[in-house]
Amino acid sequence: RIRSRSPKRRDRSRSPKRRGRSRSPKQKEMPGSSSTEDRPERAADQCSGSTSVHNNPSSEPDSVIITDDDLNKLSARILKAEIMGNTDKVTKLTAKLEEMRQKQKAQPQKPRVREETVILTKTDAKGNARPVFIDPEEARSGKRKKKREKLSVTHAKDGERDRYFPDDDGRGLEDLVREEKTNSSLGQDHLFLKYASKLSKMSDKQDWTLDDMFVSNIAKVKDGSKDVDKLVAENQREHKRLESCTMCIEKCGRGSIVYIGTSLYVRVPTWKSLTPNHCQIVPTAHTISTVNGDEDFWRELSAVKSALVRKFSSLKLDTVFLEFASRLDQRRHVFVDCVPVPEEEGTMLPAYFKKAILDCDVEWAQNKKLVDTRKKSLRKCIPQGLPYFSVEFGLDGGFAHVIEEERMFKRYFGLEIIGGVLDVDVGLWRNPDKETSEAVQYKRKSFEKLSVEFPEN
């Protein structure tokens, strides 16, 4: 049997054909559905009612952020109302616009992302910062470009090695020297141990050598794009360290400075002083050690030291200069402590310092423990890039020590010896407390009363 279904015919007689727009009774009852032409009074009431709701500040949540687009939309409404000739609406919307502008000024502004081009530097263990040269295309493409390239470009068709790295043809002697200066022996040792532990990947070829394994593995990680993130993070840490340095003259409180020279300044400590008229000589630039200073810095440093020694000698006081340069990779701002002590105790300090330096640090040292700086200046005895401790007694020189184990050598090493000889409280040389601004200003005024004849700029 074949069943056929006839489509149901719609009874069009019951549903009259609608021509034109008509509204249902529900739509007519809605407050915003009626036309303004038929009912002008009701439309005016609706406009005034909607304006009053927007002008009520309590109806708007405080968490809503007002943007420039909101102000532009409201300005467009004001312009439209002016064209229509509705002065009341223009007045209300203008008042609302001023209120929104005041709220926008009061709300917290989001920091705008600003692009900045900086020179990436790499700091070695000696504290030397050198710029890093990276190809932008390599830093942008990164691993994709390295996957496409094959390491077989270092070998000829017959299998013999004709170059060590794919970019050997485009590198000159200056590039090789710059790369050698940026790398250190610690980095080379790290790479050697890293790849020597992978001897299980030895090739079965008869002409395979250990040199092939090292060069092939190093070529895989030679792409500079992998170090970009590390260099950016190091640059950010360096910028943060410079911003938070309290020894730089821009961040140092003016209430503690007693003299400002060309390349250095003299200030009183912002913490408790070991002795009266205790002061500090600080380089103006962010310097990690005085050994790294130039000729102008050393000339001014010797002139300032001579002025302080002459003044304290007139008061029957001996002058001791202490310098501690450590953690050079962290690039801390160095300063020289100037501690005046009585003449009786000052004559015993060289023997105490000599005995303490010979007994400090590790037992088996690679460098000479006690370096005599009485015949030569400090920068001629200590090379750049080494952490050291230095003590000088007036203008006659003193002793220096190259620090082998920085974790064992304390920053208050010299102050501890002077404090032990003077028999002062431990809190004055070991993590002394900070003083208030009034106490710092009092120390500065008392130091200015000495009338030290500093060199003129």
Side-chain angles (χ1 to χ4, degrees):
R1 298 178 180 178
I2 301 174
R3 296 180 181 180
S4 62
R5 292 183 179 181
S6 58
K8 294 182 181 181
R9 295 182 178 179
R10 188 174 182 181
D11 190 2
R12 297 181 179 180
S13 61
R14 295 182 181 180
S15 58
K17 198 171 184 179
R18 297 181 181 179
R19 295 180 181 179
R21 296 180 180 177
S22 62
R23 294 185 178 89
S24 61
K26 293 182 179 180
Q27 291 178 343
K28 291 181 180 180
E29 294 175 1
M30 293 177 66
S33 61
S34 59
S35 61
T36 57
E37 297 177 358
D38 297 337
R39 299 179 182 180
E41 297 178 357
R42 187 174 180 181
D45 296 340
Q46 289 176 3
C47 292
S48 62
S50 62
T51 307
S52 63
V53 172
H54 285 289
N55 283 336
N56 187 10
S58 61
S59 63
E60 295 184 359
D62 297 337
S63 60
V64 176
I65 298 176
I66 300 174
T67 60
D68 295 337
D69 294 337
D70 298 336
L71 299 179
N72 294 335
K73 291 178 182 179
L74 189 56
S75 300
R77 290 176 60 187
I78 294 174
L79 182 60
K80 186 176 181 180
E82 288 179 354
I83 295 173
M84 297 298 293
N86 193 346
T87 57
D88 296 338
K89 188 174 181 179
V90 171
T91 305
K92 293 179 180 180
L93 292 179
T94 305
K96 178 177 173 60
L97 181 63
E98 294 296 330
E99 183 181 356
M100 291 179 65
R101 285 177 178 173
Q102 296 295 332
K103 288 183 179 180
Q104 188 185 27
K105 293 180 180 180
Q107 69 186 5
Q109 299 291 336
K110 291 184 178 180
R112 296 182 179 180
V113 179
R114 181 171 56 90
E115 294 184 357
E116 184 180 358
T117 303
V118 296
I119 299 177
L120 297 179
T121 58
K122 185 176 181 181
T123 306
D124 55 8
K126 297 181 179 180
N128 301 321
R130 297 183 177 91
V132 180
F133 298 90
I134 298 176
D135 189 4
E137 295 182 358
E138 294 182 359
R140 195 176 296 111
S141 59
K143 299 179 181 179
R144 296 180 182 178
K145 183 178 179 181
K146 202 62 183 178
K147 287 182 179 179
R148 295 173 185 174
E149 294 181 357
K150 296 181 180 180
L151 296 177
S152 59
V153 296
T154 58
H155 293 72
K157 293 183 179 180
D158 55 356
E160 294 183 359
R161 180 181 294 277
D162 56 356
R163 63 175 64 92
Y164 283 97
F165 301 104
D167 57 347
D168 282 351
D169 296 337
R171 303 174 66 190
L173 182 60
E174 295 181 359
D175 300 331
L176 296 176
V177 172
R178 180 169 56 245
E179 183 180 357
E180 186 66 23
K181 286 184 177 181
T182 54
N183 296 332
S184 60
S185 60
L186 296 177
Q188 299 294 337
D189 295 343
H190 177 71
L191 286 177
F192 181 82
L193 294 176
K194 180 179 179 180
Y195 298 123
S197 61
K198 298 181 180 180
L199 290 176
S200 59
K201 298 182 180 179
M202 295 187 342
S203 176
D204 297 332
K205 295 182 180 180
Q206 206 170 25
D207 57 348
W208 182 89
T209 59
L210 187 64
D211 182 64
D212 292 336
M213 185 208 58
F214 281 115
V215 175
S216 300
N217 289 330
I218 293 174
K220 292 180 182 179
V221 298
K222 192 173 178 57
D223 186 10
S225 60
K226 297 183 180 181
D227 297 334
V228 173
D229 296 337
K230 294 182 180 179
L231 295 174
V232 171
E234 182 180 351
N235 185 269
Q236 292 176 353
R237 288 194 299 268
E238 178 68 17
H239 180 71
K240 185 178 179 180
R241 190 180 298 113
L242 291 176
E243 290 293 330
S244 60
C245 180
T246 58
M247 286 293 177
C248 292
I249 192 170
E250 296 84 5
K251 303 296 180 62
C252 180
R254 294 288 180 176
S256 61
I257 299 177
V258 296
Y259 167 76
I260 299 178
T262 305
S263 55
L264 55 85
Y265 69 93
V266 182
R267 72 163 198 171
V268 294
T270 56
W271 50 84
K272 291 185 178 180
S273 302
L274 182 62
T275 59
N277 298 324
H278 177 191
C279 62
Q280 296 172 339
I281 306 173
V282 189
T284 305
H286 192 90
T287 310
I288 58 176
S289 64
T290 58
V291 176
N292 294 352
D294 53 4
E295 294 291 338
D296 296 335
F297 171 77
W298 274 93
R299 191 181 300 107
E300 190 172 5
L301 178 62
S302 61
V304 170
K305 286 183 177 180
S306 300
L308 291 173
V309 169
R310 286 196 303 268
K311 189 61 184 178
F312 290 137
S313 297
S314 62
L315 301 176
K316 296 183 179 181
L317 296 173
D318 287 342
T319 311
V320 182
F321 298 101
L322 304 173
E323 181 186 356
F324 180 82
S326 180
R327 306 286 182 180
L328 302 181
D329 55 337
Q330 298 181 6
R331 299 189 62 82
R332 297 177 179 176
H333 201 139
V334 72
F335 58 90
V336 180
D337 280 299
C338 176
V339 184
V341 295
E343 291 182 350
E344 297 180 1
E345 287 79 2
T347 55
M348 298 185 296
L349 283 177
Y352 279 99
F353 271 98
K354 185 176 181 180
K355 181 67 170 62
I357 291 175
L358 292 174
D359 295 342
C360 71
D361 217 342
V362 294
E363 183 177 359
W364 303 100
Q366 297 180 357
N367 300 282
K368 188 178 180 179
K369 272 198 170 184
L370 186 67
V371 180
D372 195 349
T373 60
R374 289 175 292 184
K375 297 180 181 180
K376 297 181 180 180
S377 62
L378 179 64
R379 59 175 176 169
K380 293 182 180 180
C381 296
I382 302 296
Q384 295 184 9
L386 291 180
Y388 63 91
F389 167 78
S390 171
V391 55
E392 295 181 1
F393 310 100
L395 302 177
D396 300 331
F399 307 112
H401 170 71
V402 178
I403 302 174
E404 300 284 346
E405 189 65 33
E406 299 182 30
R407 293 177 297 177
M408 299 174 57
F409 206 92
K410 304 299 181 182
R411 294 188 61 88
Y412 50 82
F413 175 78
L415 298 176
E416 181 181 4
I417 298 173
I418 298 177
V421 173
L422 299 178
D423 195 14
V424 298
D425 187 22
V426 179
L428 294 179
W429 52 264
R430 183 173 184 174
N431 299 327
D433 298 332
K434 287 189 175 182
E435 292 188 328
T436 60
S437 58
E438 292 81 5
V440 174
Q441 291 181 3
Y442 177 77
K443 291 196 299 184
R444 178 180 61 84
K445 292 179 181 179
S446 62
F447 190 89
E448 289 177 349
K449 292 179 181 179
L450 299 177
S451 301
V452 182
E453 297 179 357
F454 290 110
E456 298 181 358
N457 298 329

